């Protein structure tokens, strides 16, 4: 079964993209504020100290738990709830619009699997290239900033996945593995890419979505 795309005028498609960005930023800000408020209340910490704690690499199990809760609430609001609002109120559709195919297609699954396995060596090469990339001397400050940022994110990721109980594992699995994956696919593939395809070339739309992602 072929996927049917509802084509719209370029101005309408572009306005929808801007509206999506606005809804996403507003919901992300509100959910981050809610997450900070919840942490301040349940962990008895002044609200003004929460942003700094979330920016630093957590060094204790308590801060790790707080960081996971903050990320989880932010991802839920910023990605999933904003996607639901956009689809329901802006497009006035149900979530069925994200899956227009009526039947399971084993050939597509097999093709995606082969492509995924085939691109892994290329991805490994890109990762290694990025790790050993040298910038020109006039970009030395940016290079140092990028290395420090990458180091901090690596430390943060390593610490967040050092679970000390099954409960922490479930929380981490939900926050790191489930919510971001579903939320990002909803925003980028389910909404952004689908709306871009409605008024520009599908190949360009897919490429643009990948670059933005």
């Amino acid at each position: 079964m072929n996927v049917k795309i509802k084509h719209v005028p370029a101005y309408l498609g572009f306005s929808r993209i801007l509206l999506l960005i606005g809804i996403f930023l507003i919901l992300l800000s509100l959910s981050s504020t809610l997450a900070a408020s919840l942490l301040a209340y349940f962990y008895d910490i002044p609200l003004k100290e929460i942003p700094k704690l979330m920016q630093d690499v957590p060094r204790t199990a308590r801060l790790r738990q707080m960081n996971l809760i903050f990320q989880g609430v932010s991802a839920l609001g910023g990605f999933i709830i904003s996607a639901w609002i956009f689809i329901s109120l802006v497009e006035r559709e149900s979530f069925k619009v994200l899956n227009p195919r009526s039947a399971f297609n084993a050939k597509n699954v097999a093709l995606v699997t082969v492509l995924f396995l085939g691109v892994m060596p290329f991805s490994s090469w890109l990762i290694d290239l990025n790790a050993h990339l040298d910038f020109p001397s006039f970009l030395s400050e940016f290079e140092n900033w990028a290395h420090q940022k990458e180091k901090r994110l690596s430390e943060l990721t390593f610490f967040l996945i050092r679970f000390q109980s099954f409960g922490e594992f479930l929380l981490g699995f939900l926050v790191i593995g489930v919510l971001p994956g579903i939320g990002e696919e909803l925003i980028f593939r389910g909404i952004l890419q689908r709306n871009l395809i409605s008024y520009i070339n599908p190949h360009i739309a897919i490429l643009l979505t990948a670059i933005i992602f």
Side-chain angles (χ1 to χ4, degrees):
M1 177 181 176
N2 295 326
V3 178
K4 295 181 180 180
I5 302 295
K6 294 181 180 179
H7 294 281
V8 300
Y11 75 89
L12 178 59
F14 183 68
S15 65
R16 281 185 173 183
I17 299 301
L18 292 179
L19 190 55
L20 172 64
I21 295 173
I23 292 174
F24 170 77
L25 292 177
I26 291 172
L27 264 294
L28 183 62
S29 176
L30 290 176
S31 58
S32 297
T33 302
L34 173 61
S37 301
L38 291 174
L39 293 178
Y41 178 77
F42 287 106
Y43 288 87
D44 195 23
I45 298 175
L47 182 60
K48 62 181 181 181
E49 294 184 12
I50 299 298
K52 185 179 183 303
L53 290 175
M54 295 302 100
Q55 291 175 5
D56 295 336
V57 177
R59 302 295 182 183
T60 65
R62 184 170 183 260
L63 288 176
R64 174 173 54 220
Q65 187 181 66
M66 291 173 61
N67 204 288
L68 287 173
I69 293 173
F70 184 87
Q71 291 187 32
V73 175
S74 299
L76 179 64
F79 287 95
I80 296 178
I81 296 180
S82 62
W84 174 78
I85 290 176
F86 185 87
I87 292 174
S88 301
L89 301 182
V90 177
E91 296 183 323
R92 296 184 179 181
E93 299 276 3
S94 69
F95 266 70
K96 292 181 180 179
V97 74
L98 301 176
N99 184 28
R101 297 183 181 274
S102 60
F104 176 80
N105 193 320
K107 290 183 179 180
N108 287 342
V109 174
L111 178 61
V112 170
T113 302
V114 171
L115 289 174
F116 176 77
L117 294 176
V119 81
M120 287 181 67
F122 178 68
S123 298
S124 299
W125 175 76
L126 285 180
I127 293 172
D128 183 70
L129 179 65
N130 176 68
H132 299 89
L133 186 64
D134 290 324
F135 289 86
S137 57
F138 68 91
L139 290 176
S140 59
E141 291 186 7
F142 171 77
E143 182 177 7
N144 291 332
W145 172 85
H147 282 308
Q148 290 298 322
K149 191 70 172 179
E150 186 176 15
K151 180 180 178 181
R152 180 190 174 280
L153 291 175
S154 178
E155 292 177 354
L156 175 61
T157 302
F158 179 73
F159 187 80
L160 287 178
I161 61 176
R162 294 177 61 186
F163 308 120
Q164 297 180 347
S165 67
F166 184 69
E168 275 195 0
F169 167 76
L170 289 179
L171 178 62
F173 178 74
L174 176 65
V175 172
I176 299 173
V178 178
L179 289 179
I182 295 176
E184 289 168 4
E185 286 301 314
L186 282 174
I187 292 291
F188 290 99
R189 302 289 185 264
I191 297 178
L192 179 60
Q193 180 175 292
R194 182 167 50 82
N195 276 271
L196 286 173
I197 289 176
S198 69
Y199 69 97
I200 66 174
N201 182 279
H203 301 289
I204 297 177
I206 293 172
L207 180 61
L208 281 176
T209 303
I211 292 173
I212 295 171
F213 177 79

